[in-house]
């Protein structure tokens, strides 16, 4: 089997899409006329005008015949292209930045098709129907990209008409944020449960089948298993299986002012299909990619992550807590898919105050995560905000804090203050590559 042709937007940056002919001609498909077609149509119109002046019926018939030939060829070609059906299938629910996404283009009719790729890819693959063609796309930016509409190459036997017309509708392709290896952050997840996270809660077995043990001083009288006590002739209590809950909290700063603070931040437009682009920056793209990379690592270890904004709002709709291996993986996949449409948000009124880095809802949720892992990814922190955040360390113990700064050298005081918390602090240059991230951990 032949290897699918691969299209990488990184290798097509110098290519510029151009549409032949004026917009008015393309709108009515008049750009399909070849030079021969225009000459034929013009000759017919000229003969008709000449016949009108000279009163020669044979010239009129010849002119009408030439014009009718050109117009009939144009209409027949346009009519034929509307009978073509086309199927396009993406072999995964969504693509991921920097990972190949396999696409199949299939046509059952005897036509020639050229695929239309997103602007940055250049010319797409061609297909001679009936048949199918597989190709791979490597996206270099997240968002909702559009494939198609495909272009059908049409022509007539006389060479009067030749060109490409659009068929079908554009297909949106969600492209998720990139996943990076996290070997550099050796401390990440060091407080995880030994081995894979477990999901059983305290036992809910039937009263007669529950495990029992000898009574020990301090056990509650409500734990006494009276049937087992009568059988053994001594106090027996129900054995409770206390197992840590496989839960973690991911906090991602989405405040636009924290990611687009000045000239050091490169502004990026994130495509959203037929809708307006999202305004983002290189630092936020790195932050979102880091959140997905860490989320995958925790999900692979069995943790179900709760994804929150700084005000405590869920980053994924319909989030629910169900401790199971499948639910843990699904919670991450939902967030990873949502990363195609996430962007920085304007700050809420009053959020600019120093003590309001995190909202009241998130503050309460953090206080409930006393022993569970917490990952915080922030874009900009003042000294007052860092002091308010550090106060949480007396209650919230297991925190991995990532600060993606445009100028890390300006955060020496913040770093010194946060270092006293006992948390793992990672100060990174947010405008660089995460694969080559440099900072003090």
């Amino acid at each position: 089997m032949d290897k699918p042709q691969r299209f990488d937007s990184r290798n097509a940056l110098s290519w510029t899409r151009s549409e032949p002919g004026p917009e008015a001609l393309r709108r009515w498909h008049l750009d399909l006329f070849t030079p021969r077609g225009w000459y034929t149509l013009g000759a017919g119109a000229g003969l008709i005008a000449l016949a009108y002046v000279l009163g020669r019926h044979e010239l009129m018939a010849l002119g009408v015949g030439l014009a009718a030939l050109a117009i009939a060829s144009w209409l027949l070609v346009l009519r034929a292209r509307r009978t073509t059906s086309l199927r396009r299938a993406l072999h995964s629910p969504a693509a991921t930045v920097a990972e190949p996404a396999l696409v199949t283009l299939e046509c059952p009719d005897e036509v020639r098709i050229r695929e239309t790729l997103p602007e940055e890819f250049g010319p797409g693959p061609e297909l001679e129907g009936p048949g199918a063609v597989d190709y791979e796309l490597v996206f270099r930016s997240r968002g909702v990209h559009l494939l198609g509409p495909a272009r059908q190459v049409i022509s007539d036997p006389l060479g009067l008409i030749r060109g490409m017309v659009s068929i079908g509708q554009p297909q949106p392709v969600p492209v998720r944020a990139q996943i990076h290896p996290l070997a550099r952050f050796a401390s990440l997840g060091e407080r995880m449960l030994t081995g894979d996270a477990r999901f059983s809660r305290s036992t809910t077995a039937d009263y007669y089948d529950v495990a029992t043990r000898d009574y020990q001083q301090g056990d509650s009288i409500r734990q006494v298993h009276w049937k087992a006590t009568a059988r053994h002739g001594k106090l027996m209590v129900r054995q409770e299986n206390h197992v840590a809950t496989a839960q973690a909290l991911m906090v991602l700063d989405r405040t636009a002012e924290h990611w687009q603070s000045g000239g050091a931040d490169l502004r990026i437009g994130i495509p959203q299909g037929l809708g307006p682009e999202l305004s983002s920056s290189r630092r936020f793209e790195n932050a979102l990619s880091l959140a997905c990379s860490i989320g995958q690592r925790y999900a692979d270890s069995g943790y179900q992550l709760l994804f929150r904004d700084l005000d405590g709002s869920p980053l994924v709709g319909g989030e629910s807590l169900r401790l199971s291996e499948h639910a843990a993986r699904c919670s991450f996949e939902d967030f990873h898919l949502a990363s195609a449409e996430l962007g920085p948000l304007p700050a809420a009124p009053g959020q600019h105050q120093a003590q309001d880095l995190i909202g009241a809802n998130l503050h309460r949720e953090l206080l409930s995560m006393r022993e569970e892992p917490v990952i915080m990814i922030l874009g900009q922190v003042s000294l007052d905000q860092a002091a308010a955040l550090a106060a949480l360390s007396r209650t919230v113990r297991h925190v991995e804090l990532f600060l993606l700064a445009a100028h890390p050298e300006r955060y020496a005081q913040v770093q010194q203050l946060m270092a006293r918390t006992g948390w793992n602090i990672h100060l990174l240059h947010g405008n660089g590559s995460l694969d080559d991230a440099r900072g003090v951990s």
Side-chain angles (χ1 to χ4, degrees):
M1 182 176 179
D2 294 337
K3 186 176 181 181
Q5 186 178 3
R6 178 172 295 184
F7 297 85
D8 192 335
S9 59
R10 177 177 292 176
N11 301 329
L13 294 179
S14 61
W15 179 81
T16 303
R17 188 185 304 278
S18 62
E19 294 287 351
E23 175 64 26
L25 295 182
R26 296 199 305 270
R27 184 181 304 167
W28 299 100
H29 301 298
L30 297 178
D31 58 320
L32 297 177
F33 281 101
T34 63
R36 181 185 296 179
W38 283 115
Y39 293 150
T40 303
L41 188 60
L47 288 174
I48 292 174
L50 185 61
Y52 180 79
V53 173
L54 299 178
R56 302 296 296 269
H57 296 289
E58 64 274 15
L59 290 180
M60 178 67 72
L62 181 59
V64 170
L66 290 176
L69 178 64
I71 294 174
S73 297
W74 178 68
L75 292 175
L76 287 174
V77 166
L78 288 180
R79 178 67 179 175
R81 64 102 181 181
R82 293 191 181 99
T83 63
T84 302
S85 60
L86 191 69
R87 291 186 292 273
R88 184 187 295 107
L90 185 67
H91 287 237
S92 58
T96 301
V97 172
E99 297 181 7
L102 182 62
V103 183
T104 297
L105 186 69
E106 184 178 3
C107 180
D109 303 313
E110 294 185 3
V111 294
R112 185 180 176 188
I113 301 295
R114 177 178 293 174
E115 177 69 294
T116 302
L117 303 181
E119 184 77 22
E120 64 271 18
F121 281 92
E126 292 190 1
L127 166 64
E128 292 284 352
V133 61
D134 292 334
Y135 64 94
E136 293 180 336
L137 295 176
V138 182
F139 293 90
R140 297 297 172 176
S141 64
R142 67 178 182 92
V144 181
H145 297 257
L146 291 178
L147 284 181
R151 309 271 284 175
Q152 180 182 344
V153 181
I154 55 178
S155 62
D156 71 316
L158 300 177
L160 304 179
I161 306 297
R162 182 174 177 81
M164 292 187 295
V165 293
S166 299
I167 56 174
Q169 298 295 324
Q171 178 176 341
V173 178
V175 181
R176 303 170 292 192
Q178 185 174 0
I179 299 293
H180 292 268
L182 297 174
R184 178 181 178 275
F185 305 109
S187 62
L188 184 62
E190 66 180 5
R191 300 182 188 275
M192 284 184 182
L193 299 178
T194 303
D196 289 340
R198 296 166 292 172
F199 303 96
S200 57
R201 300 278 192 135
S202 297
T203 182
T204 56
D206 184 80
Y207 181 82
Y208 295 99
D209 299 328
V210 70
T212 59
R213 60 173 174 81
D214 292 342
Y215 175 85
Q216 298 177 0
Q217 187 175 359
D219 288 336
S220 171
I221 193 66
R222 289 177 297 179
Q223 290 180 260
V224 174
H225 193 291
W226 296 111
K227 293 289 185 179
T229 296
R231 186 166 61 250
H232 292 280
K234 58 181 179 180
L235 279 176
M236 303 293 292
V237 296
R238 293 188 296 275
Q239 175 70 53
E240 300 288 350
N241 298 322
H242 294 289
V243 180
T245 57
Q247 182 180 354
L249 178 64
M250 170 77 73
V251 179
L252 175 62
D253 182 0
R254 292 185 65 194
T255 307
E257 289 78 2
H258 294 171
W259 301 106
Q260 301 171 352
S261 58
D265 288 316
L266 177 64
R267 304 300 174 93
I268 298 175
I270 304 301
Q272 293 297 292
L274 297 175
E277 289 187 341
L278 292 176
S279 177
S280 184
S281 68
R282 179 65 180 272
R283 278 199 299 139
F284 183 80
E285 295 305 297
N286 280 337
L288 187 57
S289 183
L290 180 63
C292 292
S293 304
I294 295 174
Q296 183 185 59
R297 180 165 179 174
Y298 272 77
D300 289 344
S301 296
Y303 280 85
Q304 181 172 10
L305 283 124
L306 304 176
F307 297 93
R308 298 289 184 267
D309 198 347
L310 285 181
D311 63 0
S313 301
L315 297 178
V316 181
E319 186 178 68
S320 61
L321 181 61
R322 300 183 305 275
L323 296 179
S324 68
E325 184 175 359
H326 176 70
R329 190 67 195 178
C330 285
S331 66
F332 165 71
E333 292 294 344
D334 290 343
F335 173 72
H336 197 198
L337 182 59
S339 68
E341 303 179 27
L342 286 177
L345 298 175
Q351 192 172 339
H352 296 283
Q353 300 178 9
Q355 65 271 25
D356 291 334
L357 177 65
I358 62 175
N361 292 334
L362 180 60
H363 188 272
R364 286 193 294 269
E365 193 155 13
L366 285 171
L367 294 180
S368 69
M369 305 288 288
R370 298 172 182 268
E371 300 298 332
E372 287 83 0
V374 176
I375 306 99
M376 301 186 71
I377 302 177
L378 308 178
Q380 184 172 299
V381 179
S382 69
L383 194 58
D384 291 337
Q385 289 172 336
L389 194 60
L392 290 172
S393 63
R394 293 190 293 268
T395 304
V396 187
R397 302 178 182 177
H398 309 314
V399 175
E400 296 271 354
L401 191 148
F402 294 85
L403 179 59
L404 279 68
H407 301 282
E409 65 277 3
R410 300 178 184 176
Y411 286 84
Q413 289 183 295
V414 171
Q415 185 179 350
Q416 292 173 4
L417 178 61
M418 298 304 297
R420 302 170 191 166
T421 62
W423 296 347
N424 290 324
I425 311 299
H426 308 274
L427 178 59
L428 307 177
H429 194 296
N431 286 317
S433 170
L434 282 182
D435 293 329
D436 301 320
R438 293 292 180 268
V440 180
S441 300

